[in-house]
Structures are given as structure tokens and as C-alpha cells.
Amino acid sequence: MMEEEGSWEHFFAVHLPPTDFEDNRSLLKEFCERHDRHGHKIVLVTSGGTTVPLEHNTVRFVDNFSAGKRGAASAEYFLEHGYAVIFMHRQKSLEPFTRHFTGQKLLDMLDIQERGPNTTITVKPDSVDVLAPVLLRYKAAHSAGAILHVAFTTVSEYFWLLRAACESLSALGPRAVLYLAAAVSDFYVPKDRVPTHKMQSGSGAPVIQLHLVPKMLAPLVNLWMPSAYVVSFKLETDENLLIPKARAALDKYKHKMVVANMLQTRHHRVVLVTPESSQEILLTREEVHAGADIESPLVASIVQLHAASCGSDVTRAPLADCGPAPPR
Amino acid sequence: MMEEEGSWEHFFAVHLPPTDFEDNRSLLKEFCERHDRHGHKIVLVTSGGTTVPLEHNTVRFVDNFSAGKRGAASAEYFLEHGYAVIFMHRQKSLEPFTRHFTGQKLLDMLDIQERGPNTTITVKPDSVDVLAPVLLRYKAAHSAGAILHVAFTTVSEYFWLLRAACESLSALGPRAVLYLAAAVSDFYVPKDRVPTHKMQSGSGAPVIQLHLVPKMLAPLVNLWMPSAYVVSFKLETDENLLIPKARAALDKYKHKMVVANMLQTRHHRVVLVTPESSQEILLTREEVHAGADIESPLVASIVQLHAASCGSDVTRAPLADCGPAPPR
């Protein structure tokens, strides 16, 4: 084998593409080409955690904690700013719009009326106020073909999709934003060390030897997307490491921004670290209680900086208002 | 410390109860007492996988694969057979009734009409046929107070809730069924071996030393619920181990039944192994294509065997038809 063990080339050489890979690659290509023709900006939002299988017939795996709130909310705000959105998310993690309602909540909003052979189901009047604005934005985004969902579960599926998305996005040059909010595992178990069958508890407690996942930001920034506006995320639990680690990542990978956040306070405080500056965004206690999303000011700031960096205007209207795009 | 390391007493001694434990304990107590007064049968259905945190500020954890389909579907069928149901499930896993619809699917079923100041939202006529029967059963179960949801995430939360449920259920004697469908981790990392902060990838790839989780079936059958009808589950990936391991569990724990299933075929084949017999339940290819749940014949068989074991009739009507229960 040519590739050095631990390198990104080696990772792609030993991990096969996921089964639905070609379908997703076609969807990504069609989506990017269509929006490129219209001169739109596109953001790739990655969201949710990746898993590392511990067995081939995956019963057990190591997971990274992430409900996917950051990515799902951010996708909605990018749509409002006129971006087309590739929402690349962990299977079953939160999604834009539906994140506001779980299945249970939606069923509780419904009234059923049976009159002879006719059954009708309506949303209760007091739930309409909550549901209507979200439903309108959902329908607008989907009828404009402004959002594409692609899903991953394992860390290798994530990397295959990420590279395919970059392949299609690179044509957009500086109009592409990568917003890498997914919680990607730093560690994995190489394919040839994974047992085929379920680990048996009778044979004693196992030891799991983890290996380092290669840093994909390096080829992404240097080779795959050299002109894109790349935003990565740092989630820490130790405040002292937060900014130094964000600066170190910028120095190392030479991308545009690190959004630094602490696990405990991530829903009301983020720091936007760029090579030139750092900017803290805070929600007040009142805003938090009122259910405000920190992703609203966070995305607004990134949209501003992206516009400045590629010398274009900040679009304020969603794509649906710029005329219909072809249906999906 | 009095308790031997690795024993169930030791596990409860070193793992504190979850923060919402007392609230859940009260809910369980009220639910069991109310249905006991009415002479109802109660089934505890556990569902979904447990996690094992690898860090105190949980960013990473080991998870057991389970969407929770088995438990969520089974809960619906137990309700149809007149059982009150405690649905003890992994946070965010599938739930009865809502399992048929994800948030996205429900939003796509809705039409919005804006007429001046009045906005109404209705379910599209062609979606009513699918949604109405599920919605009616959902509303009937909830208005009869026939189902209680309690949620866990980690393996220690699961054990605390399981013991509390048994505490309240034991008064029902043979009218209680335990249907232990959750995918509980066999391994865990003891609390004092878990690092406080996020493992840093800079310090090399970590080794995770797992420890065996104590077998809670032993105290459950012998001490907590000696007269209950206890059903455990065995999920294997090696067919040769399936029935021998099920028999070995019955011999060891002396409970009533093991439902044995293979990971690959679990949605169309299960084997009900009891001390006296074993009974295979299969769905035909046509039934699978038509979307039939294997949990329907599975639960029907268990309800029969439970009735025979406690000498009572098989109830066929859901609780809602036996007169209203007090609202929750």
C-alpha cells in the first residue's frame, strides 16, 4: 500500500464508500450545479455526531454526543439569508424546521372529526400560531428546492460524503461556505481490528484500542476547497484550552474561522475566532428564556464576514423570494 | 464498602440516582397503584439502547444499537390487549404511535390555508386514512391514562428506573409482566475511571478498559419481582449461539421466557423459549412487504401464556373500553 497509515489517503483506501454513496453523490452534483447556474451561494452545514463501530454487525459503537441543534437551527438561518443549504446530518439527529416539533408534540396538536364517512384532521386553533410560521418557512424552502438533506451514521460515511460534497461545491469557488458543526470522532477502530460477531460478555471485559482519525481539514482546505469560506468548530469542556486550541487550528489549517464553544454554555455563548480577530456572541438570560437561538446572530455574523471576504452583498431574502427554482 | 465489586449492590452503591429520579418514582407509584385498584394487568416495556459515558462531561460514550422499534410496537399491542403500559425507553428512541410518523413526514401531511386574519392547518385528505387510525388509538390510550412514559439514557439511569418500577409493580404479583426489550450494555466504565474532561487527541489514542455490568436479572427475579411474568431478550449475530444462550439464561435466572432473535432477521423471526418449549414466530415475505409488525403475533403469544400462567382470561379490549380511568 502506498498510503501511510494514519493519513487521510490511507483512511479512504481502507474504508469502502457507503452503499448509497453514488445516489448521494448524484444528488449533491445536481443540487450544486443548479444553484451555481443561478449564481446562488451554497453552504454545506454538517450536523450531529458520528459513530465508530466496535463490531461489523454493529451492535455496539462509540458515539459522539450531539443532538444536532446547532446545525439544524443554523440551516434555517442560512436559508433566511438567501443561501442554498446542503444539510449533511447524522441519521435521526435534529433537522431544520421539524426540530421545533417532535412526533409526540405534533400528534397532541391534532383534532380529529368523524362525520359519517368523512374524517377530517385539523390542527387545534391554539397550536396554529406556533406551527404556521414554521410550516410556511418549511414549505417555502422545499418548494424552492433550496435545501438538500444527506445523512451519515459512521465516521467513514461522514468523510465519504464530505469529500463528495466538496467535489461538487468546488466549482462555486468563494461563493461556497463550509460550516462544519458536526461532532466528528477523533478516534476510530480500524476495519481489520473490528470483530465480526457480537463481543461475548462470557469471555471477560474487552479492551478497546482506539486509533486517531486523520485530520480531514488539511486536504479539505489545501486540496479540495482552496477558495471556499471554511468554518470549523471547537467544542471543549476546559475553558483554558478553548481559545488557544481555536488559534492553533487556524494556524495549522489556514482556514477562515473557528467557532469556539464550551459544552456547558454552547447554547448561549460562542466565540468567532478568525486570523485577525475574535468576537464573542452572547445571549442574555432573557433571550434564552424567550427561546432565542444563538444560531441567529452567529449565522448573521458569518454571512457578513463571508460577504466581505468574497466582495459581494449580503442577501437578506430567502431564495424562495428570488423566483422559483426547479422542483426536486 | 460492604458490597463486592461487580455485584449489583455495588453498582447501586457507586452510581448515584439520576437527577429526575424522585419525580419518575412518584409517577411510577401513582400509575401502578391506580391500575392495581382497577385490577388491571400492567406490563413494563423497556426499549432502546443504553449508553456508557466515557467522560464525565459526556461528549463521548459507548452506545448499544437499537432504534427501539421492538419496544415501541409491542407497547401498542399490549394496550390493545387491555394491559396498562409503562414504557421505559431510551430518550429519543421510537415511541408507540409516533413511531409511524417522523416530524418530517407529519409536516408534509399538512396543508395551510390563510384567509385574512384566520389561518387554518389541516391534514391533507389522502394522509387522513393513514393518520386517523393511529391518532384515534393514541388519543384513546392517553385519555384512559393507560400508558406512562419514562426515559433513560445511560446504563445506570436504566437500572435505577428498572428497580423503581419493580418496587411499584411488585404489589400486582402475577398480574405484572416485565418485557425487557431494551438493549442494555454488558460493559461499562466505572465512575472513578471516567476522566472529567474531554479526551484530547493530542495526547495520543486512548485505550478504553471496559468492565462487566452486573446481571440485574438475578435480583429482579429472586428479590424484586418473584411472582411477575418476566420476559427477557437475547439478540445474537451467530445463529449457533442463539438457542443455547437463551436456554442457559432461563436455567440461570429461572424466569418465564427468553425471546431469542438474530440481529439480521429480528423484524421477521423470533423464537419464544420457555422452560417447557420453544415456539418460532415467522412473518411471511408478503406480510413483511405489507408492513406487518412481528410484535403483533409476538405479544399475542405472550398474552396467552401470561393468562395461562396466572389463571386469568385473555382481555381483548383496550382499557379505554372498560370505562374511563382518572386523567393524568
Side-chain angles (χ1 to χ4, degrees):
Chain A
M1 198 166 300
M2 299 277 291
E3 301 87 3
E4 191 188 348
E5 194 166 323
S7 71
W8 65 270
E9 294 95 335
H10 181 78
F11 192 93
F12 281 109
V14 299
H15 290 92
L16 294 178
T19 45
D20 56 355
F21 180 66
E22 287 305 328
D23 293 342
N24 279 320
R25 185 144 84 161
S26 303
L27 290 171
L28 288 163
K29 189 163 180 285
E30 184 281 326
F31 186 87
C32 292
E33 286 175 355
R34 173 158 50 84
H35 288 285
D36 190 23
R37 276 199 301 277
H38 290 79
H40 294 156
K41 297 174 182 171
I42 305 186
V43 61
L44 170 70
V45 174
T46 71
S47 186
T50 63
T51 67
V52 173
L54 300 179
E55 294 150 330
H56 277 302
N57 294 301
T58 301
V59 173
R60 300 194 187 85
F61 50 83
V62 178
D63 203 341
N64 269 39
F65 166 79
S66 173
K69 194 255 171 180
R70 176 82 82 222
S74 300
E76 292 180 23
Y77 295 108
F78 276 112
L79 286 166
E80 281 186 19
H81 283 280
Y83 283 70
V85 174
I86 300 169
F87 186 67
M88 202 181 120
H89 69 106
R90 163 74 175 274
Q91 195 82 257
K92 307 284 167 71
S93 67
L94 291 177
E95 297 181 33
F97 309 113
T98 58
R99 74 182 173 103
H100 302 278
F101 314 100
T102 61
Q104 179 112 20
K105 231 177 182 172
L106 275 171
L107 286 190
D108 285 330
M109 289 181 175
L110 299 178
D111 265 339
I112 187 161
Q113 297 89 20
E114 291 178 282
R115 287 192 213 86
N118 290 326
T119 302
T120 57
I121 303 174
T122 55
V123 172
K124 293 173 187 171
D126 56 348
S127 297
V128 168
D129 294 350
V130 185
L131 184 54
V134 178
L135 187 58
L136 286 171
R137 289 191 290 122
Y138 172 84
K139 285 184 181 287
H142 281 83
S143 66
I147 183 161
L148 173 68
H149 292 242
V150 284
F152 59 84
T153 300
T154 66
V155 65
S156 85
E157 287 166 8
Y158 171 84
F159 283 136
W160 275 98
L161 278 179
L162 179 65
R163 192 168 68 165
C166 290
E167 206 175 80
S168 295
L169 274 171
S170 59
L172 277 91
R175 272 182 296 126
V177 174
L178 266 64
Y179 184 86
L180 305 172
V184 182
S185 180
D186 292 325
F187 309 111
Y188 77 113
V189 183
K191 239 186 121 44
D192 51 356
R193 314 279 172 91
V194 176
T196 301
H197 287 299
K198 194 176 161 187
M199 300 184 287
Q200 296 298 331
S201 56
S203 40
V207 172
I208 303 169
Q209 170 70 61
L210 296 174
H211 293 241
L212 280 173
V213 162
K215 298 293 181 189
M216 293 290 169
L217 254 186
L220 191 155
V221 174
N222 296 321
L223 302 174
W224 306 340
M225 302 283 289
S227 7
Y229 196 87
V230 177
V231 179
S232 72
F233 283 73
K234 269 271 171 243
L235 180 71
E236 290 295 334
T237 63
D238 183 349
E239 176 76 43
N240 297 321
L241 295 177
L242 189 65
I243 304 300
K245 291 203 72 174
R247 290 247 158 262
L250 282 178
D251 285 348
K252 184 165 178 188
Y253 302 110
K254 315 286 182 207
H255 57 307
K256 302 291 193 291
M257 182 190 295
V258 174
V259 178
N261 55 157
M262 297 284 297
L263 183 65
Q264 302 83 344
T265 61
R266 68 194 186 283
H267 294 309
H268 62 265
R269 176 178 173 251
V270 294
V271 187
L272 276 57
V273 184
T274 67
E276 302 81 26
S277 67
S278 78
Q279 175 194 345
E280 188 177 51
I281 297 179
L282 277 170
L283 288 188
T284 63
R285 186 182 296 244
E286 290 71 33
E287 288 169 323
V288 171
H289 275 265
D293 289 324
I294 196 166
E295 290 78 11
S296 172
L298 167 59
V299 168
S301 292
I302 291 175
V303 166
Q304 288 278 359
L305 291 164
H306 178 223
S309 124
C310 64
S312 76
D313 284 343
V314 177
T315 316
R316 289 185 190 280
L319 290 185
D321 297 346
C322 315
R328 285 180 55 199
Chain B
M1 200 165 300
M2 299 278 289
E3 301 86 4
E4 192 187 346
E5 195 166 323
S7 71
W8 64 270
E9 294 95 334
H10 182 77
F11 191 93
F12 281 109
V14 298
H15 291 92
L16 293 178
T19 46
D20 56 354
F21 180 67
E22 287 305 328
D23 293 343
N24 279 321
R25 185 144 83 161
S26 303
L27 289 172
L28 287 164
K29 189 163 181 286
E30 185 281 325
F31 186 86
C32 292
E33 286 174 356
R34 174 159 50 83
H35 287 286
D36 190 23
R37 275 198 302 277
H38 290 79
H40 295 154
K41 295 172 184 174
I42 305 185
V43 61
L44 170 70
V45 174
T46 71
S47 186
T50 64
T51 68
V52 173
L54 299 179
E55 295 150 331
H56 277 302
N57 295 301
T58 300
V59 173
R60 298 192 188 89
F61 49 84
V62 178
D63 203 340
N64 269 40
F65 166 78
S66 173
K69 194 254 172 182
R70 174 84 81 222
S74 299
E76 292 181 23
Y77 294 107
F78 276 114
L79 286 166
E80 282 186 19
H81 282 281
Y83 282 69
V85 174
I86 300 170
F87 186 66
M88 201 181 121
H89 69 107
R90 163 73 174 275
Q91 195 83 258
K92 306 281 167 71
S93 67
L94 291 176
E95 297 182 32
F97 309 114
T98 59
R99 74 182 173 103
H100 302 279
F101 315 100
T102 63
Q104 179 113 19
K105 231 177 183 174
L106 275 171
L107 285 190
D108 285 330
M109 288 181 176
L110 299 178
D111 265 339
I112 187 161
Q113 297 89 20
E114 292 178 282
R115 288 192 211 87
N118 290 327
T119 302
T120 56
I121 302 175
T122 53
V123 172
K124 293 174 186 169
D126 55 349
S127 297
V128 168
D129 293 349
V130 184
L131 185 54
V134 178
L135 187 59
L136 286 172
R137 288 189 290 124
Y138 173 84
K139 286 185 182 287
H142 282 83
S143 67
I147 182 162
L148 173 68
H149 291 242
V150 286
F152 59 83
T153 300
T154 66
V155 66
S156 85
E157 287 166 8
Y158 171 84
F159 283 136
W160 276 97
L161 278 179
L162 178 65
R163 193 169 66 166
C166 289
E167 207 174 79
S168 295
L169 273 171
S170 59
L172 277 91
R175 271 182 297 127
V177 174
L178 267 66
Y179 184 87
L180 305 172
V184 182
S185 179
D186 291 325
F187 309 112
Y188 76 112
V189 183
K191 242 187 118 46
D192 51 356
R193 314 278 172 90
V194 176
T196 301
H197 287 300
K198 196 177 159 183
M199 300 183 288
Q200 295 298 331
S201 55
S203 39
V207 172
I208 303 169
Q209 170 69 62
L210 296 174
H211 292 241
L212 281 173
V213 163
K215 298 293 183 189
M216 292 292 169
L217 255 185
L220 191 155
V221 175
N222 295 321
L223 301 174
W224 306 342
M225 301 284 288
S227 8
Y229 196 88
V230 177
V231 179
S232 72
F233 284 72
K234 269 273 169 238
L235 180 71
E236 291 295 333
T237 64
D238 183 348
E239 176 78 41
N240 297 321
L241 293 177
L242 188 65
I243 304 300
K245 291 202 71 171
R247 289 248 159 259
L250 282 178
D251 284 348
K252 184 166 178 187
Y253 302 111
K254 315 285 180 206
H255 57 307
K256 301 292 194 289
M257 183 190 296
V258 174
V259 179
N261 55 156
M262 296 286 297
L263 183 64
Q264 301 85 341
T265 61
R266 68 195 185 284
H267 294 309
H268 62 265
R269 177 177 173 250
V270 295
V271 186
L272 277 58
V273 184
T274 67
E276 301 80 25
S277 66
S278 79
Q279 175 194 349
E280 188 176 51
I281 298 179
L282 276 171
L283 289 188
T284 63
R285 187 183 295 245
E286 290 70 35
E287 288 169 325
V288 171
H289 275 266
D293 290 325
I294 197 168
E295 291 77 12
S296 172
L298 167 59
V299 168
S301 293
I302 292 175
V303 166
Q304 288 277 359
L305 290 166
H306 178 224
S309 124
C310 65
S312 75
D313 284 342
V314 177
T315 316
R316 288 183 191 279
L319 289 185
D321 297 345
C322 316
R328 286 180 55 197

